[in-house]
Amino acid sequence: MTQAQVEIQLLAMATAVACSLCGVFLVLRRMTLLSDAISHTVLIGIVVAFFLTGDMASPWLLVGATTAGVFTVLMVESLQKTGVVREDAAIGLVFPALFSIAVLLISIYSKNIHLDMDAVLVGKIALTPLPSRRLEIGGYDFGPKSLALMMAIIIVNLGFIIMFFKELKVSTFDPAFSKAIGFNPYWIHLGLVLSVSTTAVASFDAVGSILVVALMAAPAATAYLLTDKLSIMLVWSCIIGMLSAVLGYWLAHILDASIAGSMSTVAGIIFGFAFFFAPERGLFSVWHRAKTRDRKFKLALLLVHLTQHEGTIREEEECNIESLHLHLRWDEYEAHSVAFEAVETFCATKENKVLRLTPKGRIIALESLQIGTNLS
Amino acid sequence: MFESLSVPGLGSVIAGTAMLGFLCGTLGTFAVLRKQSLMGDAISHACLPGLIVAFLLFNSKESWALMLGAAISGTLAAMIILGISRYSRVKEDSSLAITLSVFFGFGLMLLTWVQRRPDAAQAGLARFLFGQAATLLDRDVWLLAAIAIPCLITVFIFWKQFQLVCFDRSFAQSLGFPVFFIDVLLSLLLVMVIVAGLETVGVVLMSALLVAPAVAARQWTNKLEIMALLAGIFGAFSGIAGSFLSNIGKTSIPTGPVIVLLITLIVLLSILFAPARGIVWLQFKHWRDSNVLQLDSVLSNLVNLAKEHSGKQNGHSMAMLKGISSNPSGVPRSVHKLLEMGLVFEVDKGLYIPTTKGEEYLHEKTSHMGRP
């Protein structure tokens, strides 16, 4: 790996971590779509700040963009508070309008501006190692500017989360309780909005607006499927974010395609995996658990059936493996396979196609009946 | 102004945007009522990979081929969004955001892979994002009509079912309506509309056209059929006016954003000034109600005081009334109004007693209390 590649990957990972940290709270508070809105409206902040300063490299652009992000959220909330518009519709009203103003401003004054629309969406991560984008202090090269910025954002986000962990937790999971014990959840909400805006703006310079949404939503949602504990969810979210960043980078490298695009693709694939195969909550795991339970229940039912007919005249008929499915009203194939399992696990023996209980099987059957009577 | 009318193709641009506005408004009504306003945003972003795959497969930039591809990936995205929130504990907002960004990112990856240029995407992407209403040809308008008419007919046929699912899902379920099928049908219609409009207004503005007319229309009526029609009209109007405005000046301004700003203006006016639901209206009503309430309470205080303090001859001062009122600063105005209405009489300087008319008025009001 060349130094440039290392630097790009480091930046991608740093961005992923910064976004995943905010993302966890967005996902838990059902505010993920605000990141979508913010990532669109930072454009107007940039445009306005550019008109005011006339300098594309000015740090005021970041301030303008962050302000625009916070402003967006406040607008959405005040629209909601009027009671005439629901949250989803409020988001859908505010960001296209602000975005349209930005597009119009750009198109009217585009002759004098160098505002690259594509760069806004796709980001300029591939340009990270360029000499003009490096941070040099006193002749020492401290690496790319955006990496330094991203590290600062991570530190701020982490500091916010660690300092206000208890408050974040209580206001996220039980806002009413939080209010009852005298802590207004709105302050935490504002802090979170500010941190999401700052993160979105900083990452958006590196990876573009769409990837910001992907990195805020996908790793956190994946982590949400993996654990029930907030602290562990934060860790998982960061790990998954970094994994998406590195794998995405190499996918882009192989295909010679957009880095931002392939990072979000990988993040999506990882989410898909978790959706199906997460140990507790994956679709496949849930299905498998249901299947196992079903199987266990059927086995117990078979054993109970055997105890009922043990030593009766009809035992030969009722417990015959060939006609078992008729008495239990099961699928023939299923009856056979459950009977086979009973023999396999030493719960029953097979004599001349007739199933007979072993002591172990009898105990299981009686226990099951016991549970049944207790329940009723 | 008149020169603009002679701009070649302006007629088809206006016809196209008007039709699209109407269609988006009507279908957006259902999306907004079902709290799926941002579904349109997600689906329109998710059309990108389909467009590119279609371009690769058919190797053409024919509208129908691209539309087919977009429709397939849009449908897939809609199903994934519904699936994630239905089969896992991930909530709808996250499933929308994930689907939107991942599909779009995947499309971006495909696009740059096709072009083998990792740094920037070309005009195609810009067109996808912002649309190019100005290049609408007669042919595109016919294609748009070919999509719009079946969509509107479907809405007409399934009107009752859509209405039921929008307002009372559980009731629909209990009646035995195939609710899931209706959900899917509505999503499919949404995909069709989005695919039809992508080329004209682009992704971001598409979502605005689906949300804004419906929100504006909701302010003016409580009836679904009027809301849908009104939303359609708002959409069509902003389409027509937007194409006009953007073609008036010498330099051409992108049509999509102008349309969006117009419809946003309509929303703003509707939210503020619509009767019964507008903010200004509600504020006025609140102000009027609180005035009446204050008036009644001052009068009632005065009557009670008169009863307790030996006969009607002794008046009570303003200061006394202020002392027992919950809103002392409003008392002088209320007293003034009561004097005007003849409900209160000034027996001495600064001392007031209720008149018989005032007592009757109060009795009339309070006699309703405690009864249904």
Side-chain angles (χ1 to χ4, degrees):
Chain A
M1 276 195 280
T2 63
Q3 196 203 346
Q5 283 178 326
V6 173
E7 276 174 0
I8 292 177
Q9 284 178 63
L10 275 178
L11 176 59
M13 276 160 69
T15 313
V17 169
C19 289
S20 320
L21 284 175
C22 304
V24 167
F25 294 100
L26 290 180
V27 166
L28 288 175
R29 292 161 159 256
R30 307 185 189 184
M31 286 162 45
T32 333
L33 284 165
L34 282 181
S35 73
D36 181 33
I38 289 174
S39 67
H40 281 95
T41 50
V42 289
L43 184 64
I44 192 163
I46 292 180
V47 172
V48 170
F50 174 76
F51 282 149
L52 293 178
T53 61
D55 176 13
M56 202 55 211
S58 161
W60 286 106
L61 261 58
L62 288 185
V63 177
T66 311
T67 316
V70 175
F71 182 65
T72 309
V73 177
L74 294 182
M75 260 175 96
V76 168
E77 277 168 2
S78 51
L79 250 184
Q80 232 178 301
K81 267 187 205 131
T82 63
V84 292
V85 185
R86 270 193 289 255
E87 190 191 11
D88 58 327
I91 296 176
L93 283 173
V94 170
F95 87 82
L98 291 178
F99 193 74
S100 297
I101 296 176
V103 172
L104 277 184
L105 284 176
I106 294 175
S107 76
I108 292 170
Y109 299 102
S110 62
K111 272 137 212 148
N112 344 328
I113 327 183
H114 246 334
L115 247 182
D116 192 354
M117 288 305 274
D118 289 344
V120 167
L121 283 158
V122 190
K124 295 163 284 198
I125 198 167
L127 308 180
T128 305
L130 288 187
S132 63
R133 307 178 129 253
R134 300 195 79 83
L135 183 67
E136 279 178 38
I137 300 169
Y140 286 103
D141 186 355
F142 282 96
K145 264 185 208 162
S146 30
L147 183 57
L149 180 66
M150 234 40 248
M151 290 315 252
I153 299 278
I154 291 181
I155 290 169
V156 172
N157 281 354
L158 258 183
F160 176 65
I161 291 172
I162 291 172
M163 252 165 56
F164 295 103
F165 192 72
K166 248 189 340 219
E167 286 82 356
L168 275 167
K169 205 170 177 178
V170 70
S171 68
T172 300
F173 292 110
D174 200 342
F177 177 64
S178 162
K179 223 168 192 167
I181 56 173
F183 176 76
N184 191 350
Y186 193 70
W187 293 112
I188 279 293
H189 175 76
L190 266 190
L192 198 63
V193 166
L194 191 66
S195 109
V196 169
S197 293
T198 325
T199 312
V201 170
S203 351
F204 149 98
D205 182 52
V207 295
S209 61
I210 291 303
L211 185 60
V212 172
V213 181
L215 283 181
M216 283 196 180
T222 313
Y224 188 43
L225 291 175
L226 294 177
T227 174
D228 281 341
K229 237 180 126 64
L230 179 60
S231 47
I232 297 175
M233 184 173 163
L234 282 163
V235 174
W236 266 122
S237 181
C238 290
I239 293 174
I240 293 161
M242 287 196 281
L243 197 68
S244 321
V246 175
L247 292 179
Y249 173 77
W250 288 106
L251 182 65
H253 186 76
I254 293 165
L255 293 176
D256 192 11
S258 151
I259 297 172
S262 36
M263 270 167 70
S264 38
T265 308
V266 172
I269 292 171
I270 294 178
F271 174 78
F273 258 107
F275 179 70
F276 287 109
F277 302 112
E280 282 286 322
R281 312 193 171 274
L283 210 54
F284 178 76
S285 321
V286 169
W287 174 80
H288 180 75
R289 209 165 42 234
K291 193 85 191 156
T292 319
R293 205 179 290 143
D294 181 57
R295 199 50 191 238
K296 211 174 149 193
F297 177 71
K298 287 223 162 104
L299 183 65
L301 205 62
L302 174 68
L303 295 177
V304 169
H305 178 77
L306 295 183
T307 47
Q308 298 302 305
H309 297 284
E310 205 172 26
T312 61
I313 321 162
R314 285 175 54 80
E315 187 178 7
E316 298 279 320
E317 157 66 16
E318 289 276 354
C319 304
N320 194 307
I321 228 169
E322 294 296 326
S323 57
L324 207 53
H325 63 277
L326 296 175
H327 301 292
L328 288 164
R329 302 202 177 159
W330 287 347
D331 182 61
E332 187 172 357
Y333 168 78
E334 193 158 28
H336 274 235
S337 95
V338 175
F340 182 72
E341 195 181 327
V343 176
E344 277 283 281
T345 52
F346 306 111
C347 292
T349 52
K350 201 161 65 175
E351 294 166 17
N352 260 344
K353 296 201 169 172
V354 176
L355 288 175
R356 291 191 197 281
L357 283 171
T358 61
K360 184 189 170 194
R362 199 167 292 117
I363 289 169
I364 293 179
L366 290 175
E367 270 173 2
S368 309
L369 281 173
Q370 199 71 48
I371 293 169
T373 45
N374 282 349
L375 279 177
S376 65
Chain B
M1 170 85 202
F2 288 105
E3 279 168 313
S4 68
L5 287 174
S6 61
V7 171
L10 187 56
S12 56
V13 172
I14 290 174
T17 47
M19 204 162 14
L20 190 66
F22 189 84
L23 194 59
C24 285
T26 313
L27 275 159
T29 303
F30 296 109
V32 168
L33 286 177
R34 283 152 44 86
K35 299 174 201 164
Q36 288 189 335
S37 306
L38 291 162
M39 190 82 162
D41 184 38
I43 293 176
S44 48
H45 277 90
C47 285
L48 182 63
L51 278 178
I52 295 161
V53 171
F55 173 68
L56 281 180
L57 284 180
F58 298 107
N59 201 17
S60 81
K61 282 192 173 169
E62 282 288 321
S63 287
W64 66 266
L66 297 184
M67 278 185 177
L68 186 69
I72 291 172
S73 72
T75 312
L76 190 65
M79 298 300 117
I80 289 177
I81 292 167
L82 292 178
I84 289 178
S85 33
R86 191 179 163 141
Y87 292 111
S88 78
R89 67 166 171 172
V90 175
K91 307 296 180 308
E92 184 147 60
D93 65 307
S94 306
S95 79
L96 276 167
I98 292 172
T99 315
L100 177 155
S101 57
V102 169
F103 267 70
F104 191 78
F106 181 60
L108 217 58
M109 191 182 88
L110 282 178
L111 186 68
T112 44
W113 177 62
V114 170
Q115 296 164 335
R116 300 273 169 188
R117 273 197 302 143
D119 47 19
Q122 39 58 294
L125 186 60
R127 182 168 180 173
F128 173 73
L129 289 169
F130 306 114
Q132 265 179 353
T135 60
L136 268 182
L137 301 173
D138 283 350
R139 220 168 44 116
D140 299 320
V141 176
W142 286 117
L143 195 61
L144 209 57
I147 293 176
I149 291 167
C151 282
L152 289 176
I153 291 176
T154 316
V155 170
F156 191 70
I157 293 174
F158 288 95
W159 182 265
K160 206 169 56 188
Q161 283 83 347
F162 287 173
Q163 191 171 17
L164 195 57
V165 171
C166 275
F167 291 113
D168 202 338
R169 275 184 83 81
S170 353
F171 183 54
Q173 235 149 6
S174 73
L175 285 182
F177 278 99
V179 173
F180 186 69
F181 168 74
I182 294 170
D183 273 345
V184 172
L185 187 65
L186 268 173
S187 307
L188 280 182
L189 285 178
L190 209 57
V191 171
M192 295 281 282
V193 176
I194 288 166
V195 167
L198 267 187
E199 208 172 358
T200 315
V201 291
V203 166
V204 182
L205 315 172
M206 194 68 225
S207 39
L209 266 188
L210 281 168
V211 179
V215 171
R218 175 72 190 88
Q219 286 300 98
W220 298 93
T221 176
N222 281 327
K223 279 193 130 27
L224 182 63
E225 52 271 23
I226 298 177
M227 180 180 169
L229 194 67
L230 209 55
I233 291 171
F234 284 152
F237 171 75
S238 50
I240 295 168
S243 348
F244 245 130
L245 282 179
S246 62
N247 280 297
I248 280 178
K250 289 226 168 72
T251 50
S252 74
I253 315 169
T255 312
V258 176
I259 295 177
V260 172
L261 286 182
L262 277 174
I263 189 69
T264 309
L265 192 68
I266 295 178
V267 171
L268 218 57
L269 292 177
S270 306
I271 287 181
L272 284 176
F273 300 113
R277 274 175 68 98
I279 292 173
V280 172
W281 176 277
L282 288 176
Q283 281 299 325
F284 173 71
K285 196 165 164 274
H286 179 77
W287 175 79
R288 204 184 52 193
D289 288 353
S290 65
N291 268 356
V292 169
L293 216 59
Q294 167 91 4
L295 205 72
D296 290 358
S297 90
V298 169
L299 182 61
S300 143
N301 284 341
L302 207 55
V303 168
N304 288 337
L305 284 171
K307 260 185 206 156
E308 281 173 29
H309 293 166
S310 60
K312 295 180 182 179
Q313 284 75 19
N314 297 326
H316 290 94
S317 69
M318 192 80 84
M320 177 71 135
L321 287 172
K322 276 185 180 177
I324 52 176
S325 172
S326 56
N327 177 21
S329 60
V331 170
R333 239 182 43 151
S334 299
V335 171
H336 202 75
K337 188 89 204 270
L338 286 167
L339 281 170
E340 246 172 51
M341 289 165 73
L343 302 178
V344 161
F345 178 66
E346 193 172 4
V347 276
D348 215 335
K349 191 139 182 57
L351 293 176
Y352 305 93
I353 55 163
T355 60
T356 329
K357 197 177 152 201
E359 276 170 13
E360 274 165 13
Y361 170 86
L362 196 70
H363 183 74
E364 178 74 15
K365 281 238 166 173
T366 46
S367 62
H368 292 300
M369 283 181 179
R371 271 196 241 154

